[in-house]
C-alpha cells in the first residue's frame, strides 16, 4: 500500500481573478517618468500576486489540497539589473509572513520550479551567476515566509551544449560555486529531451540531491532505459530529505505532440505507473502538470476512485493497494 498526495501548479481555473503571476515589463516601467511612482506600482502588483497566492492556498485547503507549487513570477522585475536599489522585500514582508504562517498551520508542502533559463551547468560564468541570483530570489521569498529551505526548488539539469557527458561534469564543477544554502534548496528532475533518468540519477547520487521523477518526461525521452530497474535508486535519493518523495505526472497531448502536456491526466496512464510502484514506498507526493490545473486534480481523483484498489483519504489524497 502507498499513500499518494496530489498537488498542482501555481494557478486555479476555478478561483476567479486569482493570478499570482501578474507582471510589468521593464519597458512599461521606464514609460512611467516618475521612478518612485513606478516602483510603487511594481510593489502593488507584487502585493496583489502574494494576496492571490494566499487566496489560492485557502481555496486549496477547502479542497484538502496541501501540496502546491508557487509561481516563480510573484515579484516582477525583482532581479532586473536596473532595479538593484529596490528593496522589494521591505514592503512585502507582512504578505510573505502571512503566507508562511498559513502554510505552517495547515502543514502544506510548497515549492518552486525556477524558469528554464536558470542553468547551473552553464560553462558561461555570467549565466551561472545570473542563475544563482535567481535562486537567491527564491531563497529570499522562502525565508520571508519562514519556510524551511530544504528541497524547495526543482530544476532541470540544464543545457546539453552538444556534449552531454561534458555538460553533466560541468554541473559537478559548477556546484562548488553555488552557495551551500542554495545547494540545500535544490532537487533535480529528469527531462524529456537531453538528460534522461540515468543521467539525472548520476548527478543526484554524486551531489546528494533528491531526484524528482517525471514519468511523462521519461517516456517522452524515448530511451530504451527501464525506469523500474532504477526506481529503488530514485527512492534512495530521498533518504536524507525531511520531505516525502516527489514526482511529476502529466499526460501527452497526443501521439503527434507527445511531449506537450494535455489538459487533463489520463488515469490509465497514471495507473500503469502506480501499480508498478505501490508498496515500494509508503508515501509519494505527485505534482500534476496539466493545463487545467486544479480541475485536472479534481477530475483525476474522480476517475481514480472508480478503480479497484484505490481508497480515498481526502479530496486530494488516496491509497493504492
Amino acid at each position: 500500500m502507498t499513500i499518494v498526495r496530489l498537488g498542482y501548479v501555481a494557478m486555479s481555473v476555478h478561483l476567479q481573478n486569482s493570478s499570482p503571476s501578474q507582471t510589468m515589463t521593464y519597458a512599461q516601467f521606464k514609460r512611467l517618468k516618475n521612478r518612485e511612482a513606478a516602483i510603487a506600482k511594481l510593489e502593488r502588483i507584487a502585493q496583489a500576486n502574494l494576496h492571490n497566492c494566499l487566496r489560492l492556498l485557502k481555496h486549496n485547503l477547502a479542497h484538502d489540497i496541501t501540496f502546491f507549487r508557487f509561481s516563480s513570477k510573484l515579484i516582477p522585475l525583482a532581479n532586473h539589473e536596473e532595479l538593484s536599489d529596490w528593496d522589494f522585500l521591505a514592503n512585502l514582508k507582512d504578505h510573505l509572513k502571512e503566507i508562511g504562517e498559513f502554510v505552517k498551520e495547515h502543514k502544506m508542502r510548497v515549492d518552486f520550479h525556477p524558469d528554464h533559463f536558470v542553468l547551473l551547468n552553464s560553462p558561461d560564468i555570467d549565466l551561472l551567476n545570473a542563475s544563482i541570483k535567481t535562486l537567491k530570489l527564491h531563497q529570499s521569498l522562502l525565508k520571508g515566509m519562514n519556510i524551511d529551505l530544504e528541497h524547495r526548488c526543482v530544476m532541470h539539469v540544464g543545457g546539453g551544449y552538444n556534449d552531454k557527458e561534458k555538460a553533466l561534469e560541468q554541473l559537478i564543477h559548477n556546484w562548488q560555486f553555488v552557495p551551500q544554502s542554495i545547494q540545500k534548496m535544490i532537487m533535480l528532475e529528469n527531462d524529456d529531451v537531453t538528460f534522461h533518468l540515468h543521467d539525472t540519477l548520476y548527478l543526484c547520487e554524486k551531489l546528494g540531491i533528491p531526484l524528482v521523477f517525471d514519468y511523462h518526461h521519461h517516456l517522452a525521452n524515448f530511451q530504451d532505459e527501464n525506469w523500474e530497474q532504477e526506481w529503488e535508486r530514485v527512492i534512495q535519493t530521498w533518504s536524507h530529505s525531511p520531505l516525502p518523495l516527489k514526482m511529476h505526472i502529466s499526460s501527452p497531448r497526443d501521439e503527434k505532440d507527445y511531449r506537450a502536456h494535455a489538459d487533463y491526466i489520463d488515469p490509465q496512464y497514471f495507473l500503469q505507473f502506480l501499480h508498478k510502484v505501490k508498496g515500494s514506498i509508503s508515501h509519494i507526493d505527485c505534482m500534476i502538470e496539466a493545463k487545467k490545473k486544479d480541475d485536472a486534480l479534481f477530475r483525476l481523483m474522480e476517475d481514480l476512485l472508480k478503480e479497484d484498489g484505490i481508497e480515498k483519504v481526502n479530496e486530494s489524497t488516496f491509497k493504492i493497494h
Side-chain angles (χ1 to χ4, degrees), residues 2-4 6 270 274 301 304 310-311 313 317-320:
T2 296
I3 295 171
V4 181
L6 301 177
F270 190 27
L274 291 173
M301 281 294 296
L304 290 174
I310 302 293
E311 177 187 349
V313 175
T317 305
F318 61 91
K319 296 177 183 177
I320 180 164

Side-chain angles (χ1 to χ4, degrees), residues 198-224:
H198 193 266
D199 297 327
T200 313
L201 269 171
Y202 167 73
L203 288 175
C204 288
E205 290 171 343
K206 190 92 171 175
L207 300 174
I209 302 169
L211 189 145
V212 176
F213 180 55
D214 192 306
Y215 182 58
H216 180 194
H217 280 179
H218 177 79
L219 299 181
N221 208 315
F222 303 114
Q223 301 290 330
D224 292 328

